[in-house]
Amino acid sequence: MEKGATILITGGAGFIGSNLCEYFLNEGHQVICLDNFATGKPDNIRMYFDNPHFRLIVGDIRNEEDCRKAVEGVDYVLHEAALGSVPRSIKDPVTTNAVNIAGFLNMLVAARDAGVKRFVYAASSSTYGDSQSLPKVEDVIGKPLSPYAVTKYVNELYADVFSRTYGMECIGLRYFNVFGRRQDPNGAYAAVIPLFVKKLMQHESPVINGDGEYSRDFTYIENVVLMNKLALSTTDKASVNTVYNTAFGERTTLNQLVGYLKEYLSIYDPKIAGVEVKHGPERLGDIPHSLASIDKARRLLKYEPLYNMREGLREAVKWYWEHLK
Ligand SMILES: NC(=O)c1ccc[n+]([C@@H]2O[C@H](COP(=O)([O-])OP(=O)(O)OC[C@H]3O[C@@H](n4cnc5c(N)ncnc54)[C@H](O)[C@@H]3O)[C@@H](O)[C@H]2O)c1
């Protein structure tokens, strides 16, 4: 990638987007962030407000004009804006659809018309749906288990059609349970790691849905940032217009996760070691096990994860301890 390229990061005020803003600014690029603060926060990007290489556009991807303005003069798009969370999509499928599908299409059209060089977007492991096979390999998917999963799969279909029809370069990154600094521990749809960290720090019992033997390929944010960088910079034609699992490639059960969290948090507060876990009913739309094969990313993007789950968790816990206390 050329130095000083202009990168539009949609959803740049969110968890993953703000980490991408940080990385690409540090690499000497111009960063434009488009966000409507639906779930993202000004605090996640406030440190860049005075940076001459950073520009914030407060706007909505459901609005075509906002998308058009945001892509003006842009070389690359990292499209992260979406409404995450399976339960949110079950409660309100219409809004999830409007943002994640209509908003995605608006961004694709705007990027096509502006002639951006590459469109890299946040896809999701939820696209594997009810497929039982493990590890998950990119071309073996099942039926979606939630409205959210439908939207993320439709993103892939549209990106593929735009590559074939308009000659756009698109790459989808199927993120697997990403965690790390700035992931929001608050709200009804908080992800499991920040939610459990917050509970444990308050000496309250985290509630595991089900018996805790469900497993996930928890992926530290630095690995995700690396995949975005590799997706933007690959020059091998065989590596574009496709999707990649974006993960570490190891699975951890919810019971193990809580064990690690207690271990790392009790370094700061020994009382946390004694906090008991509670179990609740299983959650609709949840898949039992998730584990990525990262062979394709290794082969075509030369991806080597930087942090394993436990190394990442230690970093994340340290960050939460310093910022939530
Ligand atoms: N975190 C994960 O584990 C995970 C896993 C798979 C896929 N993803 C995908 O990665 C992307 C980023 O997720 P995240 O975890 O950082 O979530 P996040 O909620 O922190 O970030 C999403 C950002 O998009 C913004 N946004 C939402 N609706 C918008 C709209 N209409 N217009 C403009 N901006 C809007 C939000 O304000 C927020 O800043 C999403 O597309 C999500 O579906 C995340």
Side-chain angles (χ1 to χ4, degrees), residues 11 13-17 34-40 59-62 80-84 99 122-124 148 152 175 177-178 183:
F15 157 48
I16 296 173
L34 171 65
D35 206 298
N36 70 347
F37 299 121
T39 56
D60 195 314
I61 57 168
R62 286 169 293 184
E80 309 300 313
L83 286 178
V99 175
S124 168
Y148 172 74
K152 287 291 169 177
Y175 299 156
N177 293 77
V178 188
Q183 190 172 30

Side-chain angles (χ1 to χ4, degrees), residues 239-252:
S239 67
V240 293
N241 301 333
T242 188
V243 295
Y244 294 95
N245 288 343
T246 297
F248 179 73
E250 214 172 71
R251 71 193 162 108
T252 305

Side-chain angles (χ1 to χ4, degrees), residues 210-229:
D211 67 1
E213 286 310 299
Y214 275 18
S215 60
R216 295 288 180 266
D217 196 335
F218 293 105
T219 305
Y220 188 53
I221 184 68
E222 291 292 340
N223 300 329
V224 172
V225 171
L226 173 62
M227 279 293 285
N228 275 274
K229 177 205 155 169

Side-chain angles (χ1 to χ4, degrees), residues 118 169-171 234-244 296 299-301:
R118 191 166 294 165
E169 287 196 359
C170 300
I171 294 180
T234 181
T235 52
D236 175 4
K237 284 282 168 213
S239 67
V240 293
N241 301 333
T242 188
V243 295
Y244 294 95
K296 184 174 173 184
R299 194 173 73 248
L300 292 173
L301 297 179

Side-chain angles (χ1 to χ4, degrees), residues 9-73:
I9 303 176
T10 69
F15 157 48
I16 296 173
S18 66
N19 279 284
L20 293 171
C21 288
E22 179 181 351
Y23 176 80
F24 286 101
L25 281 169
N26 286 341
E27 287 293 290
H29 298 292
Q30 309 287 327
V31 169
I32 301 171
C33 162
L34 171 65
D35 206 298
N36 70 347
F37 299 121
T39 56
K41 289 180 289 196
D43 276 351
N44 286 342
I45 47 170
R46 198 177 300 284
M47 53 285 203
Y48 310 124
F49 286 175
D50 292 333
N51 186 329
H53 304 292
F54 179 79
R55 186 152 74 92
L56 168 66
I57 299 176
V58 180
D60 195 314
I61 57 168
R62 286 169 293 184
N63 179 318
E64 288 175 46
E65 194 47 40
D66 288 351
C67 298
R68 248 198 303 276
K69 265 191 226 143
V71 293
E72 269 170 30

